[in-house]
Amino acid sequence: THVRWPGQTPSLQSMPRITEALQSGTRLNGDILVSFGRIAVAALALIFGMLPAGASDLVHAPPGLRPSLQYESEAAVARGLKYLRNRQLPNGSWANHPVITAMAVLAVAGDENLLEPSSDRAAQRGTGFLIYHQRDNGAISNAASMQYPVYSTAVAVLAVGRLQIPAYDPGLSRARDFLIASQHSDNANSPDFGGFPGIRGGYADLMTTQWVLEALYITDRLAHRDPAELETIYERALTFIRNCQTPADHESDRGMFLDSPRQLGALDSAVSPATPTNRFLRTAAGVKSLIYGRATSADPQLGAAVESLYAGLRDVSDFMKTVESSPYTSFFFLGRALRAVERSGMSPEDDGAAGWRNRVAMALLNRQAGDGSWRPGEQAWWENHPDLVTAYAVLTLQGFLR
């Protein structure tokens, strides 16, 4: 596209035409979108000392994300959301799966605006699917997730709670009661005591526990139990989480976590071959669990966990190598844990998070396909499902763009 400059210098009247031409971008091999438009517009405007109308924010990036990555990430999120909306089924679900549907709902509703009710139609239809599949005992699951109803319910609660629709409050209360009743609370000598299992009666694990505690956190407003009883529930959960953390005298892995106290001394093991964990995933889950389990900032185990989390982020190359079998899940969990830490005011000054966010953003941008989806990965953590990994990628980038 050629634009004739009026006279010797560009005018404000010509800038919208340049903006339109450059923002269109270019596709290479029909797959990779080169999102150079907004960057080029900002560069031209800066060179000539002017900005087009409505573009005064182009040179301001969120903390930790370079401006060029901000612009490309915004475009990638828009493409990813368009893909997700096109993939929604007539019954309101994504893939007829409660967990995938819940993640997609969080993405299209905009997970970061937790205090603002969402009127997004796709999100409302997805939430309707989740409520439709609530069972008599309060669980939210169907045939696709019946083998892990506690996990399915916890994630669904986050999505339903996100929309803040008063009519759904009774269902949320029932789901909350189901989650609380799933806690191991009978035998204080059991390694599962205080934790939450994927299915009632099964072994408790850290990954399920952190989802349940976040679900309880966002539905605390619906609590109808005695405050002392609620405190006991959280104290039991903290007992399980602390038992998952490596002892303070373990210098090489201080602050890290196991999937379960049953695995003490086996930091490289996994609860299931289908959901292999790495030290970054477990540390993120542990940090989140402690924060949502009401541990205070003065808690030494929380301090050690936060220190371990950020120490891992400072070596970005090691992080990327460690999570290569489940990158989308790891990116998503780490981003969510970082936001929980930042909201608690516990972020160290030299946290390394900026470099980590930039590297992850670049990795995600390189993995996006031409249709707006993110390319599926291995079967672990269902990363072979394009709808789920696209929701993970969108949510991760949205967190960077907050």
Side-chain angles (χ1 to χ4, degrees), residues 223-242:
H224 54 78
R225 298 169 182 261
D226 181 83
E229 182 183 359
L230 276 178
E231 191 62 29
T232 299
I233 292 168
Y234 283 108
E235 287 177 357
R236 287 197 296 253
L238 285 176
T239 297
F240 175 79
I241 300 162
R242 297 186 197 286

Side-chain angles (χ1 to χ4, degrees), residues 66-282:
R66 294 198 303 269
S68 60
L69 287 178
Q70 179 194 1
Y71 312 141
E72 292 189 70
S73 297
E74 288 174 349
V77 166
R79 294 192 298 273
L81 290 175
K82 181 178 180 181
Y83 168 85
L84 286 175
R85 294 180 191 283
N86 290 337
R87 291 282 291 180
Q88 190 173 28
L89 299 178
N91 65 358
S93 78
W94 278 264
N96 282 307
H97 198 296
V99 173
I100 298 176
T101 298
M103 290 299 175
V105 166
L106 288 173
V108 299
D111 183 36
E112 284 305 303
N113 299 316
L114 293 176
L115 299 180
E116 299 177 9
S118 174
S119 59
D120 185 275
R121 178 58 181 157
Q124 291 178 349
R125 291 176 57 221
T127 304
F129 168 84
L130 295 173
I131 292 296
Y132 177 80
H133 284 283
Q134 186 166 37
R135 299 176 178 273
D136 291 341
N137 64 357
I140 301 177
S141 65
N142 64 4
S145 62
M146 63 185 300
Q147 64 269 44
Y148 36 80
V150 178
Y151 164 60
S152 176
T153 301
V155 178
V157 164
L158 295 179
V160 176
R162 166 64 188 87
L163 265 67
Q164 298 190 40
I165 297 177
Y168 291 159
D169 284 352
L172 282 174
S173 292
R174 290 172 51 224
R176 178 186 171 90
D177 288 342
F178 169 81
L179 292 174
I180 290 174
S182 301
Q183 186 180 39
H184 283 281
S185 59
D186 296 332
N187 182 5
N189 295 318
S190 167
D192 299 309
F193 179 76
F196 295 85
I199 185 170
R200 277 188 177 180
Y203 292 157
D205 65 88
L206 185 62
M207 303 305 286
T208 300
T209 297
Q210 58 99 19
W211 280 122
V212 172
L213 289 175
E214 187 172 0
L216 296 181
Y217 173 82
I218 72 162
T219 56
D220 264 347
R221 63 185 178 83
L222 302 175
H224 54 78
R225 298 169 182 261
D226 181 83
E229 182 183 359
L230 276 178
E231 191 62 29
T232 299
I233 292 168
Y234 283 108
E235 287 177 357
R236 287 197 296 253
L238 285 176
T239 297
F240 175 79
I241 300 162
R242 297 186 197 286
N243 289 337
C244 288
Q245 193 172 19
T246 56
D249 58 356
H250 285 213
E251 290 299 326
S252 61
D253 51 29
R254 181 176 180 270
M256 294 184 184
F257 288 83
L258 308 165
D259 288 306
S260 163
R262 294 176 179 274
Q263 298 174 321
L264 189 63
L267 279 173
D268 293 326
S269 63
V271 169
S272 165
T275 55
T277 59
N278 56 64
R279 67 181 187 274
F280 293 103
L281 266 177
R282 292 191 299 269

Side-chain angles (χ1 to χ4, degrees), residues 8 39 49 91 123 161 177 194 234 244 247 252 274 298-300 379 387 390 395:
Q8 299 298 315
I39 307 166
N91 65 358
D177 288 342
Y234 283 108
C244 288
S252 61
D299 188 303
Q379 290 186 356
D387 292 1
T390 297
L395 284 165

Side-chain angles (χ1 to χ4, degrees), residues 322-379:
T322 303
V323 307
E324 60 186 2
S325 66
S326 53
Y328 297 108
T329 307
S330 299
F331 296 163
F332 172 69
F333 270 90
L334 264 292
R336 213 165 175 86
L338 286 177
R339 293 200 299 278
V341 172
E342 290 164 357
R343 288 166 181 161
S344 71
M346 294 187 64
S347 303
E349 290 186 11
D350 181 21
D351 58 19
W356 180 82
R357 286 188 173 102
N358 281 285
R359 183 74 174 271
V360 168
M362 288 190 291
L364 287 174
L365 292 172
N366 288 335
R367 292 170 182 264
Q368 190 174 28
D371 63 355
S373 69
W374 265 264
R375 297 184 183 86
E378 300 180 13
Q379 290 186 356

